[in-house]
Amino acid sequence: MKKNYPQPFVERGGNFINLLMVEDNAEDQKIIGEALLTSPAEIAVNTVNSAEKGLQLIEKHHFDIILLNYSLPKMDGLEFLDLMNKRGYNIPTIMITGHGNEQVAVQAMKMGIYDYVIKCGDYSTKLNIIIQRALERHDLRIQQEELRERTNYINKRLQQEKRKLENIISAIGAGLAIINKNYRIVWLNRTMGEWFKYIQQLEGIACYKLFKGTSKACDQCMMRKTFEDGVIQRSKHSINNELGVRKHYQLTTTPLIDINGNITQVLCLIQDISHQVGMQLRLIQAGKLAAIGELASGLAHQLNNPLVGILNYVQLLQRKNDLKDSNRELLDIVERGARQCKDIVKNLLNFSRPHHFNFEALDLRELLDNTLLLVENSIKVKDIEIIKK
């Protein structure tokens, strides 16, 4: 984690470097200071003789690099590094020690130092190169960190846009699938997965097997036509789902073209039109019922006239005084049959006419008697006896 620093001693830019030396040995301070004078860059050296003073300076000022002696009074170099890391200072640090210690070197490297220098021989003459190399590595690390942050931000945004696109694709209420040249599904949206969840593996399944239940491509394959001509195709297919319910789908194929202008895949839009098909069937049925109503109306008018004539003649015959009882009984049967037919014709006319409902009180017994009258003949044929109570 980077920390914001106060105003630096020297603004780093061009050949200016602001350096903090944490060194308690005066002789080593002099040797290192003289060596840094030979640097091609202008280095502002700020020297302290303890880790505590070094931390105090870091709190107040900005430094481009730190030369840190391992052996310090009260607090050694590793403890200094630990405090720097905990406080979030991201300053390239070079550790200098009078006694080489591999364990210390490994631990310091793990804590983030850029180099480990042993005070022996002409070590001071190499410091300028070591410092320059550390600064270059530090700049590279910062660039890499910024690149990682930008990459993470871009990836996060891409994931957000991907989820947003997936939600939009699923919200349209239609299935989407991408088909390759082998007629295999290589991608599908959630809606498709929900529709065909009874199929264990949808990705990789052939489209003709999914929609036609066949083992080979259709003779009039819409996918093939889209791959060959790049023309949008539409067709309807019907299949049974896992519950045995007949489902109807409309398929629309659109070519997907690569940067070279070649059709590599086909996007298939699948719309569930089962409701529309059901509505069409109901409209057709309603049309049939309307036709039956018109036919019933015509038949009722044609039957009504002869029935009225039959009833009139029966009533005339019944008025004769010399009529035998047996004949009168027969006429009564004919009259009842004619009246039943007339009631049936009346009900047919009522069925064929537009209904205007008026709510009123009625006698349920009369309603049941009229209803039974309509079905009386069909009931007798089936040897069913109705007992009214």
Side-chain angles (χ1 to χ4, degrees):
M1 178 180 179
K2 296 179 182 178
K3 186 167 183 176
N4 294 326
Y5 298 97
Q7 185 65 29
F9 288 153
V10 179
E11 184 74 26
R12 187 183 171 203
N15 291 327
F16 292 104
I17 299 172
N18 209 24
L19 183 144
L20 173 63
M21 184 195 312
V22 185
E23 173 63 67
D24 63 328
N25 188 297
E27 184 64 26
D28 289 333
Q29 290 178 5
K30 182 180 178 182
I31 293 172
I32 295 172
E34 291 176 352
L36 295 178
L37 290 175
T38 62
S39 172
E42 184 176 344
I43 300 178
V45 181
N46 307 273
T47 305
V48 292
N49 58 10
S50 68
E52 292 83 355
K53 292 180 180 179
L55 290 171
Q56 290 173 4
L57 271 184
I58 293 173
E59 287 285 350
K60 297 178 181 179
H61 303 283
H62 167 82
F63 294 99
D64 296 311
I65 194 164
I66 298 174
L67 293 181
L68 174 65
N69 184 20
Y70 170 68
S71 299
L72 294 169
K74 297 183 180 180
M75 182 189 306
D76 63 26
L78 293 179
E79 293 172 325
F80 179 90
L81 286 172
D82 184 56
L83 285 174
M84 276 186 55
N85 291 335
K86 287 178 178 178
R87 296 178 185 181
Y89 296 118
N90 184 25
I91 308 173
T93 302
I94 299 169
M95 182 171 283
I96 303 175
T97 179
H99 306 283
N101 187 317
E102 184 176 347
Q103 186 176 359
V104 172
V106 170
Q107 184 64 24
M109 289 294 181
K110 289 181 179 179
M111 296 177 73
I113 67 164
Y114 280 70
D115 216 327
Y116 185 84
V117 179
I118 299 174
K119 297 177 182 177
C120 66
D122 58 348
Y123 78 95
S124 61
T125 61
K126 302 176 183 178
L127 282 178
N128 288 318
I129 297 175
I130 293 173
I131 289 171
Q132 189 61 39
R133 188 170 56 195
L135 289 171
E136 290 173 355
R137 286 174 58 196
H138 183 65
D139 289 341
L140 182 59
R141 282 189 185 181
I142 292 175
Q143 292 173 11
Q144 290 174 340
E145 182 62 29
E146 290 175 349
L147 179 60
R148 276 195 297 270
E149 289 178 358
R150 287 198 298 269
T151 303
N152 291 336
Y153 173 77
I154 292 171
N155 289 335
K156 185 178 180 180
R157 291 286 299 174
L158 286 174
Q159 289 296 325
Q160 291 174 346
E161 292 300 319
K162 181 182 177 182
R163 284 193 294 269
K164 181 179 177 181
L165 182 60
E166 287 176 349
N167 292 332
I168 292 173
I169 289 173
S170 298
I172 63 176
L176 287 172
I178 295 178
I179 315 296
N180 62 16
K181 288 191 173 183
N182 295 323
Y183 310 114
R184 305 280 175 176
I185 295 177
V186 297
W187 175 86
L188 66 153
N189 69 341
R190 278 189 310 216
T191 304
M192 275 281 288
E194 291 171 0
W195 284 350
F196 301 97
K197 59 185 176 183
Y198 57 94
I199 298 176
Q200 292 183 351
Q201 185 63 35
L202 275 174
E203 286 192 18
I205 192 173
C207 59
Y208 49 80
K209 184 175 181 180
L210 178 63
F211 295 109
K212 286 287 191 177
T214 59
S215 57
K216 62 178 182 178
C218 311
D219 294 333
Q220 301 295 326
C221 179
M222 59 187 298
M223 302 290 177
R224 185 188 303 121
K225 290 181 180 179
T226 301
F227 272 117
E228 292 175 353
D229 306 330
V231 179
I232 295 175
Q233 301 287 329
R234 290 183 177 87
S235 69
K236 296 179 181 179
H237 295 281
S238 301
I239 58 177
N240 293 329
N241 64 8
E242 75 277 17
L243 300 176
V245 178
R246 195 71 171 169
K247 302 293 289 184
H248 305 275
Y249 297 98
Q250 176 171 290
L251 275 62
T252 305
T253 58
T254 304
L256 297 179
I257 303 172
D258 63 11
I259 57 175
N260 297 319
N262 300 317
I263 301 174
T264 57
Q265 294 174 325
V266 166
L267 176 65
C268 186
L269 172 68
I270 302 98
Q271 295 170 287
D272 187 347
I273 58 171
S274 301
H275 179 71
Q276 293 91 315
V277 172
M279 289 291 293
Q280 290 174 355
L281 292 175
R282 285 191 286 273
L283 287 173
I284 293 171
Q285 185 66 21
K288 290 180 179 179
L289 290 174
I292 292 174
E294 292 179 5
L295 178 61
S297 177
L299 287 174
H301 283 295
Q302 293 180 17
L303 291 174
N304 198 45
N305 292 331
L307 285 173
V308 171
I310 292 172
L311 285 172
N312 289 336
Y313 286 123
V314 167
Q315 290 172 356
L316 287 173
L317 290 172
Q318 287 175 333
R319 292 173 186 170
K320 291 184 177 183
N321 296 326
D322 58 347
L323 194 64
K324 295 181 179 180
D325 292 338
S326 59
N327 289 334
R328 188 176 298 280
E329 185 178 349
L330 290 174
L331 288 173
D332 291 340
I333 293 173
V334 171
E335 183 185 11
R336 285 197 302 271
R339 290 190 182 280
Q340 286 180 353
C341 291
K342 190 175 181 182
D343 288 339
I344 292 172
V345 168
K346 180 182 176 181
N347 290 331
L348 283 174
L349 282 171
N350 290 335
F351 170 76
S352 62
R353 290 169 183 162
H355 294 288
H356 300 283
F357 298 100
N358 295 314
F359 294 94
E360 59 185 24
L362 53 82
D363 187 346
L364 286 177
R365 289 174 295 181
E366 181 182 354
L367 175 65
L368 290 171
D369 287 339
N370 292 335
T371 304
L372 290 172
L373 184 64
L374 288 174
V375 297
E376 185 177 24
N377 291 331
S378 60
I379 288 175
K380 287 181 179 179
V381 171
K382 297 178 181 179
D383 294 330
I384 296 173
E385 181 184 1
I386 294 179
I387 300 173
K388 294 185 288 182
K389 183 176 180 181

